[in-house]
PDB file of all heavy atoms in Angstrom:
ATOM      1  N   MET B  46     104.260 100.391 111.307  1.00  0.00           N
ATOM      2  CA  MET B  46     105.440 100.068 112.125  1.00  0.00           C
ATOM      3  C   MET B  46     106.475 101.181 112.048  1.00  0.00           C
ATOM      4  O   MET B  46     106.897 101.722 113.070  1.00  0.00           O
ATOM      5  CB  MET B  46     106.052  98.763 111.659  1.00  0.00           C
ATOM      6  CG  MET B  46     105.125  97.562 111.733  1.00  0.00           C
ATOM      7  SD  MET B  46     105.887  96.094 111.035  1.00  0.00           S
ATOM      8  CE  MET B  46     107.078  95.667 112.300  1.00  0.00           C
ATOM      9  N   PHE B  47     106.907 101.481 110.851  1.00  0.00           N
ATOM     10  CA  PHE B  47     107.990 102.463 110.665  1.00  0.00           C
ATOM     11  C   PHE B  47     107.684 103.332 109.446  1.00  0.00           C
ATOM     12  O   PHE B  47     107.067 102.874 108.488  1.00  0.00           O
ATOM     13  CB  PHE B  47     109.333 101.767 110.430  1.00  0.00           C
ATOM     14  CG  PHE B  47     109.768 100.860 111.536  1.00  0.00           C
ATOM     15  CD1 PHE B  47     109.677  99.482 111.386  1.00  0.00           C
ATOM     16  CD2 PHE B  47     110.290 101.369 112.711  1.00  0.00           C
ATOM     17  CE1 PHE B  47     110.085  98.631 112.406  1.00  0.00           C
ATOM     18  CE2 PHE B  47     110.711 100.527 113.738  1.00  0.00           C
ATOM     19  CZ  PHE B  47     110.597  99.158 113.579  1.00  0.00           C
ATOM     20  N   VAL B  48     108.178 104.584 109.525  1.00  0.00           N
ATOM     21  CA  VAL B  48     108.095 105.494 108.397  1.00  0.00           C
ATOM     22  C   VAL B  48     109.467 106.104 108.167  1.00  0.00           C
ATOM     23  O   VAL B  48     110.123 106.529 109.126  1.00  0.00           O
ATOM     24  CB  VAL B  48     107.081 106.639 108.652  1.00  0.00           C
ATOM     25  CG1 VAL B  48     107.011 107.564 107.438  1.00  0.00           C
ATOM     26  CG2 VAL B  48     105.706 106.081 108.977  1.00  0.00           C
ATOM     27  N   TYR B  49     109.880 106.131 106.924  1.00  0.00           N
ATOM     28  CA  TYR B  49     111.104 106.821 106.535  1.00  0.00           C
ATOM     29  C   TYR B  49     110.738 107.882 105.506  1.00  0.00           C
ATOM     30  O   TYR B  49     109.968 107.620 104.588  1.00  0.00           O
ATOM     31  CB  TYR B  49     112.117 105.859 105.918  1.00  0.00           C
ATOM     32  CG  TYR B  49     112.917 105.101 106.938  1.00  0.00           C
ATOM     33  CD1 TYR B  49     112.395 103.952 107.534  1.00  0.00           C
ATOM     34  CD2 TYR B  49     114.187 105.521 107.315  1.00  0.00           C
ATOM     35  CE1 TYR B  49     113.126 103.254 108.479  1.00  0.00           C
ATOM     36  CE2 TYR B  49     114.930 104.826 108.257  1.00  0.00           C
ATOM     37  CZ  TYR B  49     114.386 103.692 108.837  1.00  0.00           C
ATOM     38  OH  TYR B  49     115.103 102.998 109.777  1.00  0.00           O
ATOM     39  N   ASN B  50     111.276 109.063 105.699  1.00  0.00           N
ATOM     40  CA  ASN B  50     111.074 110.147 104.742  1.00  0.00           C
ATOM     41  C   ASN B  50     112.437 110.716 104.398  1.00  0.00           C
ATOM     42  O   ASN B  50     113.161 111.159 105.285  1.00  0.00           O
ATOM     43  CB  ASN B  50     110.156 111.214 105.333  1.00  0.00           C
ATOM     44  CG  ASN B  50     109.501 112.063 104.276  1.00  0.00           C
ATOM     45  OD1 ASN B  50     109.493 111.717 103.099  1.00  0.00           O
ATOM     46  ND2 ASN B  50     108.932 113.174 104.669  1.00  0.00           N
ATOM     47  N   PHE B  51     112.775 110.693 103.120  1.00  0.00           N
ATOM     48  CA  PHE B  51     114.101 111.119 102.690  1.00  0.00           C
ATOM     49  C   PHE B  51     115.188 110.408 103.513  1.00  0.00           C
ATOM     50  O   PHE B  51     116.141 111.025 103.996  1.00  0.00           O
ATOM     51  CB  PHE B  51     114.257 112.642 102.812  1.00  0.00           C
ATOM     52  CG  PHE B  51     113.410 113.402 101.842  1.00  0.00           C
ATOM     53  CD1 PHE B  51     112.126 113.813 102.200  1.00  0.00           C
ATOM     54  CD2 PHE B  51     113.863 113.693 100.569  1.00  0.00           C
ATOM     55  CE1 PHE B  51     111.331 114.504 101.295  1.00  0.00           C
ATOM     56  CE2 PHE B  51     113.073 114.395  99.662  1.00  0.00           C
ATOM     57  CZ  PHE B  51     111.799 114.791 100.040  1.00  0.00           C
ATOM     58  N   LYS B  52     115.032 109.110 103.666  1.00  0.00           N
ATOM     59  CA  LYS B  52     115.973 108.206 104.334  1.00  0.00           C
ATOM     60  C   LYS B  52     116.035 108.383 105.845  1.00  0.00           C
ATOM     61  O   LYS B  52     116.755 107.656 106.525  1.00  0.00           O
ATOM     62  CB  LYS B  52     117.390 108.338 103.766  1.00  0.00           C
ATOM     63  CG  LYS B  52     117.530 108.027 102.291  1.00  0.00           C
ATOM     64  CD  LYS B  52     118.983 107.966 101.879  1.00  0.00           C
ATOM     65  CE  LYS B  52     119.690 109.292 102.086  1.00  0.00           C
ATOM     66  NZ  LYS B  52     121.119 109.232 101.702  1.00  0.00           N
ATOM     67  N   GLU B  53     115.302 109.334 106.393  1.00  0.00           N
ATOM     68  CA  GLU B  53     115.313 109.534 107.834  1.00  0.00           C
ATOM     69  C   GLU B  53     114.070 108.885 108.464  1.00  0.00           C
ATOM     70  O   GLU B  53     112.958 109.077 107.973  1.00  0.00           O
ATOM     71  CB  GLU B  53     115.318 111.027 108.172  1.00  0.00           C
ATOM     72  CG  GLU B  53     116.547 111.768 107.678  1.00  0.00           C
ATOM     73  CD  GLU B  53     117.817 111.256 108.324  1.00  0.00           C
ATOM     74  OE1 GLU B  53     117.801 110.991 109.541  1.00  0.00           O
ATOM     75  OE2 GLU B  53     118.834 111.138 107.612  1.00  0.00           O
ATOM     76  N   GLN B  54     114.280 108.161 109.544  1.00  0.00           N
ATOM     77  CA  GLN B  54     113.149 107.533 110.216  1.00  0.00           C
ATOM     78  C   GLN B  54     112.352 108.603 110.947  1.00  0.00           C
ATOM     79  O   GLN B  54     112.889 109.320 111.794  1.00  0.00           O
ATOM     80  CB  GLN B  54     113.637 106.474 111.205  1.00  0.00           C
ATOM     81  CG  GLN B  54     112.502 105.697 111.859  1.00  0.00           C
ATOM     82  CD  GLN B  54     112.999 104.551 112.727  1.00  0.00           C
ATOM     83  OE1 GLN B  54     113.829 103.764 112.308  1.00  0.00           O
ATOM     84  NE2 GLN B  54     112.514 104.480 113.944  1.00  0.00           N
ATOM     85  N   THR B  55     111.083 108.715 110.604  1.00  0.00           N
ATOM     86  CA  THR B  55     110.238 109.732 111.214  1.00  0.00           C
ATOM     87  C   THR B  55     109.187 109.141 112.141  1.00  0.00           C
ATOM     88  O   THR B  55     108.474 109.865 112.819  1.00  0.00           O
ATOM     89  CB  THR B  55     109.538 110.575 110.137  1.00  0.00           C
ATOM     90  OG1 THR B  55     108.752 109.700 109.311  1.00  0.00           O
ATOM     91  CG2 THR B  55     110.537 111.307 109.279  1.00  0.00           C
ATOM     92  N   GLU B  56     109.063 107.823 112.131  1.00  0.00           N
ATOM     93  CA  GLU B  56     108.071 107.206 112.998  1.00  0.00           C
ATOM     94  C   GLU B  56     108.526 105.811 113.389  1.00  0.00           C
ATOM     95  O   GLU B  56     108.959 105.034 112.542  1.00  0.00           O
ATOM     96  CB  GLU B  56     106.712 107.117 112.288  1.00  0.00           C
ATOM     97  CG  GLU B  56     105.574 106.597 113.141  1.00  0.00           C
ATOM     98  CD  GLU B  56     105.058 107.627 114.127  1.00  0.00           C
ATOM     99  OE1 GLU B  56     105.314 108.818 113.935  1.00  0.00           O
ATOM    100  OE2 GLU B  56     104.400 107.231 115.095  1.00  0.00           O
ATOM    101  N   ASN B  57     108.453 105.526 114.665  1.00  0.00           N
ATOM    102  CA  ASN B  57     108.647 104.167 115.168  1.00  0.00           C
ATOM    103  C   ASN B  57     107.484 103.935 116.105  1.00  0.00           C
ATOM    104  O   ASN B  57     107.439 104.481 117.205  1.00  0.00           O
ATOM    105  CB  ASN B  57     109.976 104.058 115.905  1.00  0.00           C
ATOM    106  CG  ASN B  57     110.175 102.671 116.531  1.00  0.00           C
ATOM    107  OD1 ASN B  57     109.222 101.937 116.785  1.00  0.00           O
ATOM    108  ND2 ASN B  57     111.416 102.323 116.767  1.00  0.00           N
ATOM    109  N   ASN B  58     106.532 103.160 115.633  1.00  0.00           N
ATOM    110  CA  ASN B  58     105.262 103.066 116.335  1.00  0.00           C
ATOM    111  C   ASN B  58     105.318 102.038 117.458  1.00  0.00           C
ATOM    112  O   ASN B  58     104.557 101.079 117.472  1.00  0.00           O
ATOM    113  CB  ASN B  58     104.171 102.722 115.320  1.00  0.00           C
ATOM    114  CG  ASN B  58     102.822 103.271 115.723  1.00  0.00           C
ATOM    115  OD1 ASN B  58     102.717 104.134 116.575  1.00  0.00           O
ATOM    116  ND2 ASN B  58     101.780 102.779 115.091  1.00  0.00           N
ATOM    117  N   SER B  59     106.252 102.241 118.406  1.00  0.00           N
ATOM    118  CA  SER B  59     106.386 101.344 119.569  1.00  0.00           C
ATOM    119  C   SER B  59     106.582  99.893 119.139  1.00  0.00           C
ATOM    120  O   SER B  59     105.956  98.979 119.687  1.00  0.00           O
ATOM    121  CB  SER B  59     105.153 101.453 120.480  1.00  0.00           C
ATOM    122  OG  SER B  59     104.969 102.769 120.921  1.00  0.00           O
ATOM    123  N   VAL B  60     107.435  99.728 118.159  1.00  0.00           N
ATOM    124  CA  VAL B  60     107.678  98.386 117.632  1.00  0.00           C
ATOM    125  C   VAL B  60     108.777  97.711 118.463  1.00  0.00           C
ATOM    126  O   VAL B  60     109.784  98.351 118.777  1.00  0.00           O
ATOM    127  CB  VAL B  60     108.103  98.462 116.157  1.00  0.00           C
ATOM    128  CG1 VAL B  60     108.371  97.081 115.592  1.00  0.00           C
ATOM    129  CG2 VAL B  60     107.042  99.184 115.346  1.00  0.00           C
ATOM    130  N   PRO B  61     108.611  96.426 118.800  1.00  0.00           N
ATOM    131  CA  PRO B  61     109.663  95.732 119.570  1.00  0.00           C
ATOM    132  C   PRO B  61     110.993  95.753 118.843  1.00  0.00           C
ATOM    133  O   PRO B  61     111.056  95.752 117.604  1.00  0.00           O
ATOM    134  CB  PRO B  61     109.106  94.300 119.679  1.00  0.00           C
ATOM    135  CG  PRO B  61     107.643  94.428 119.488  1.00  0.00           C
ATOM    136  CD  PRO B  61     107.447  95.580 118.559  1.00  0.00           C
ATOM    137  N   SER B  62     112.061  95.706 119.619  1.00  0.00           N
ATOM    138  CA  SER B  62     113.400  95.831 119.042  1.00  0.00           C
ATOM    139  C   SER B  62     113.813  94.619 118.214  1.00  0.00           C
ATOM    140  O   SER B  62     114.833  94.680 117.517  1.00  0.00           O
ATOM    141  CB  SER B  62     114.429  96.054 120.156  1.00  0.00           C
ATOM    142  OG  SER B  62     114.400  94.968 121.064  1.00  0.00           O
ATOM    143  N   ARG B  63     113.057  93.541 118.267  1.00  0.00           N
ATOM    144  CA  ARG B  63     113.381  92.397 117.422  1.00  0.00           C
ATOM    145  C   ARG B  63     113.091  92.698 115.945  1.00  0.00           C
ATOM    146  O   ARG B  63     113.450  91.917 115.066  1.00  0.00           O
ATOM    147  CB  ARG B  63     112.620  91.147 117.874  1.00  0.00           C
ATOM    148  CG  ARG B  63     111.113  91.291 117.914  1.00  0.00           C
ATOM    149  CD  ARG B  63     110.496  90.019 118.531  1.00  0.00           C
ATOM    150  NE  ARG B  63     109.037  90.038 118.527  1.00  0.00           N
ATOM    151  CZ  ARG B  63     108.315  90.501 119.523  1.00  0.00           C
ATOM    152  NH1 ARG B  63     108.904  91.002 120.600  1.00  0.00           N
ATOM    153  NH2 ARG B  63     106.988  90.491 119.452  1.00  0.00           N
ATOM    154  N   PHE B  64     112.439  93.832 115.688  1.00  0.00           N
ATOM    155  CA  PHE B  64     112.256  94.338 114.330  1.00  0.00           C
ATOM    156  C   PHE B  64     113.173  95.553 114.170  1.00  0.00           C
ATOM    157  O   PHE B  64     113.041  96.526 114.913  1.00  0.00           O
ATOM    158  CB  PHE B  64     110.810  94.775 114.079  1.00  0.00           C
ATOM    159  CG  PHE B  64     109.818  93.659 114.135  1.00  0.00           C
ATOM    160  CD1 PHE B  64     109.186  93.338 115.330  1.00  0.00           C
ATOM    161  CD2 PHE B  64     109.515  92.930 113.008  1.00  0.00           C
ATOM    162  CE1 PHE B  64     108.268  92.310 115.393  1.00  0.00           C
ATOM    163  CE2 PHE B  64     108.588  91.899 113.045  1.00  0.00           C
ATOM    164  CZ  PHE B  64     107.964  91.585 114.248  1.00  0.00           C
ATOM    165  N   SER B  65     114.047  95.507 113.177  1.00  0.00           N
ATOM    166  CA  SER B  65     115.000  96.587 112.983  1.00  0.00           C
ATOM    167  C   SER B  65     114.959  97.057 111.543  1.00  0.00           C
ATOM    168  O   SER B  65     115.317  96.304 110.633  1.00  0.00           O
ATOM    169  CB  SER B  65     116.406  96.097 113.335  1.00  0.00           C
ATOM    170  OG  SER B  65     117.367  97.061 113.042  1.00  0.00           O
ATOM    171  N   PRO B  66     114.509  98.287 111.285  1.00  0.00           N
ATOM    172  CA  PRO B  66     114.439  98.767 109.913  1.00  0.00           C
ATOM    173  C   PRO B  66     115.761  99.379 109.462  1.00  0.00           C
ATOM    174  O   PRO B  66     116.586  99.805 110.275  1.00  0.00           O
ATOM    175  CB  PRO B  66     113.353  99.841 109.985  1.00  0.00           C
ATOM    176  CG  PRO B  66     113.521 100.417 111.361  1.00  0.00           C
ATOM    177  CD  PRO B  66     113.967  99.281 112.241  1.00  0.00           C
ATOM    178  N   GLU B  67     115.913  99.392 108.138  1.00  0.00           N
ATOM    179  CA  GLU B  67     117.088 100.041 107.551  1.00  0.00           C
ATOM    180  C   GLU B  67     116.669 100.652 106.225  1.00  0.00           C
ATOM    181  O   GLU B  67     115.995  99.994 105.424  1.00  0.00           O
ATOM    182  CB  GLU B  67     118.208  99.021 107.316  1.00  0.00           C
ATOM    183  CG  GLU B  67     119.452  99.623 106.669  1.00  0.00           C
ATOM    184  CD  GLU B  67     120.462  98.565 106.250  1.00  0.00           C
ATOM    185  OE1 GLU B  67     120.201  97.366 106.473  1.00  0.00           O
ATOM    186  OE2 GLU B  67     121.493  98.943 105.676  1.00  0.00           O
ATOM    187  N   CYS B  68     117.072 101.881 106.004  1.00  0.00           N
ATOM    188  CA  CYS B  68     116.735 102.571 104.758  1.00  0.00           C
ATOM    189  C   CYS B  68     118.001 103.188 104.180  1.00  0.00           C
ATOM    190  O   CYS B  68     118.314 104.350 104.469  1.00  0.00           O
ATOM    191  CB  CYS B  68     115.669 103.639 105.015  1.00  0.00           C
ATOM    192  SG  CYS B  68     115.006 104.411 103.524  1.00  0.00           S
ATOM    193  N   PRO B  69     118.728 102.433 103.349  1.00  0.00           N
ATOM    194  CA  PRO B  69     119.994 102.940 102.835  1.00  0.00           C
ATOM    195  C   PRO B  69     119.837 104.062 101.810  1.00  0.00           C
ATOM    196  O   PRO B  69     120.746 104.892 101.662  1.00  0.00           O
ATOM    197  CB  PRO B  69     120.627 101.702 102.197  1.00  0.00           C
ATOM    198  CG  PRO B  69     119.482 100.811 101.867  1.00  0.00           C
ATOM    199  CD  PRO B  69     118.443 101.054 102.920  1.00  0.00           C
ATOM    200  N   ASN B  70     118.720 104.089 101.123  1.00  0.00           N
ATOM    201  CA  ASN B  70     118.439 105.164 100.171  1.00  0.00           C
ATOM    202  C   ASN B  70     116.934 105.241  99.972  1.00  0.00           C
ATOM    203  O   ASN B  70     116.189 104.399 100.487  1.00  0.00           O
ATOM    204  CB  ASN B  70     119.164 104.926  98.837  1.00  0.00           C
ATOM    205  CG  ASN B  70     118.860 103.570  98.246  1.00  0.00           C
ATOM    206  OD1 ASN B  70     117.717 103.270  97.935  1.00  0.00           O
ATOM    207  ND2 ASN B  70     119.886 102.737  98.107  1.00  0.00           N
ATOM    208  N   SER B  71     116.486 106.215  99.214  1.00  0.00           N
ATOM    209  CA  SER B  71     115.042 106.442  99.088  1.00  0.00           C
ATOM    210  C   SER B  71     114.304 105.326  98.370  1.00  0.00           C
ATOM    211  O   SER B  71     113.087 105.266  98.418  1.00  0.00           O
ATOM    212  CB  SER B  71     114.783 107.760  98.354  1.00  0.00           C
ATOM    213  OG  SER B  71     115.223 108.850  99.119  1.00  0.00           O
ATOM    214  N   SER B  72     115.038 104.461  97.681  1.00  0.00           N
ATOM    215  CA  SER B  72     114.389 103.412  96.896  1.00  0.00           C
ATOM    216  C   SER B  72     114.323 102.077  97.613  1.00  0.00           C
ATOM    217  O   SER B  72     113.601 101.186  97.164  1.00  0.00           O
ATOM    218  CB  SER B  72     115.123 103.211  95.570  1.00  0.00           C
ATOM    219  OG  SER B  72     115.120 104.378  94.805  1.00  0.00           O
ATOM    220  N   HIS B  73     115.097 101.910  98.665  1.00  0.00           N
ATOM    221  CA  HIS B  73     115.188 100.613  99.314  1.00  0.00           C
ATOM    222  C   HIS B  73     114.880 100.706 100.809  1.00  0.00           C
ATOM    223  O   HIS B  73     115.297 101.645 101.479  1.00  0.00           O
ATOM    224  CB  HIS B  73     116.599 100.018  99.138  1.00  0.00           C
ATOM    225  CG  HIS B  73     116.924  99.683  97.725  1.00  0.00           C
ATOM    226  ND1 HIS B  73     117.462 100.612  96.847  1.00  0.00           N
ATOM    227  CD2 HIS B  73     116.788  98.532  97.028  1.00  0.00           C
ATOM    228  CE1 HIS B  73     117.641 100.036  95.676  1.00  0.00           C
ATOM    229  NE2 HIS B  73     117.234  98.779  95.752  1.00  0.00           N
ATOM    230  N   LEU B  74     114.190  99.689 101.263  1.00  0.00           N
ATOM    231  CA  LEU B  74     113.833  99.606 102.682  1.00  0.00           C
ATOM    232  C   LEU B  74     113.942  98.154 103.107  1.00  0.00           C
ATOM    233  O   LEU B  74     113.491  97.264 102.395  1.00  0.00           O
ATOM    234  CB  LEU B  74     112.410 100.118 102.902  1.00  0.00           C
ATOM    235  CG  LEU B  74     111.898 100.214 104.332  1.00  0.00           C
ATOM    236  CD1 LEU B  74     112.693 101.242 105.127  1.00  0.00           C
ATOM    237  CD2 LEU B  74     110.413 100.578 104.341  1.00  0.00           C
ATOM    238  N   PHE B  75     114.571  97.943 104.255  1.00  0.00           N
ATOM    239  CA  PHE B  75     114.725  96.596 104.772  1.00  0.00           C
ATOM    240  C   PHE B  75     114.068  96.505 106.148  1.00  0.00           C
ATOM    241  O   PHE B  75     113.952  97.502 106.868  1.00  0.00           O
ATOM    242  CB  PHE B  75     116.210  96.229 104.908  1.00  0.00           C
ATOM    243  CG  PHE B  75     116.945  96.162 103.607  1.00  0.00           C
ATOM    244  CD1 PHE B  75     117.564  97.289 103.080  1.00  0.00           C
ATOM    245  CD2 PHE B  75     117.031  94.974 102.897  1.00  0.00           C
ATOM    246  CE1 PHE B  75     118.242  97.247 101.879  1.00  0.00           C
ATOM    247  CE2 PHE B  75     117.709  94.909 101.696  1.00  0.00           C
ATOM    248  CZ  PHE B  75     118.322  96.047 101.186  1.00  0.00           C
ATOM    249  N   LEU B  76     113.664  95.304 106.475  1.00  0.00           N
ATOM    250  CA  LEU B  76     113.198  95.031 107.834  1.00  0.00           C
ATOM    251  C   LEU B  76     113.950  93.792 108.310  1.00  0.00           C
ATOM    252  O   LEU B  76     113.744  92.694 107.797  1.00  0.00           O
ATOM    253  CB  LEU B  76     111.689  94.791 107.869  1.00  0.00           C
ATOM    254  CG  LEU B  76     111.068  94.668 109.258  1.00  0.00           C
ATOM    255  CD1 LEU B  76     111.250  95.955 110.062  1.00  0.00           C
ATOM    256  CD2 LEU B  76     109.579  94.321 109.155  1.00  0.00           C
TER     257      LEU B  76
END
Side-chain angles (χ1 to χ4, degrees):
Chain B
M46 300 175 74
F47 301 105
V48 181
Y49 278 83
N50 201 15
F51 292 91
K52 300 189 298 179
E53 297 297 319
Q54 185 174 311
T55 59
E56 185 76 19
N57 176 337
N58 209 16
S59 302
V60 180
S62 59
R63 57 186 184 269
F64 295 91
S65 174
E67 178 189 359
C68 188
N70 54 62
S71 294
S72 300
H73 294 87
L74 185 65
F75 295 90
L76 187 62

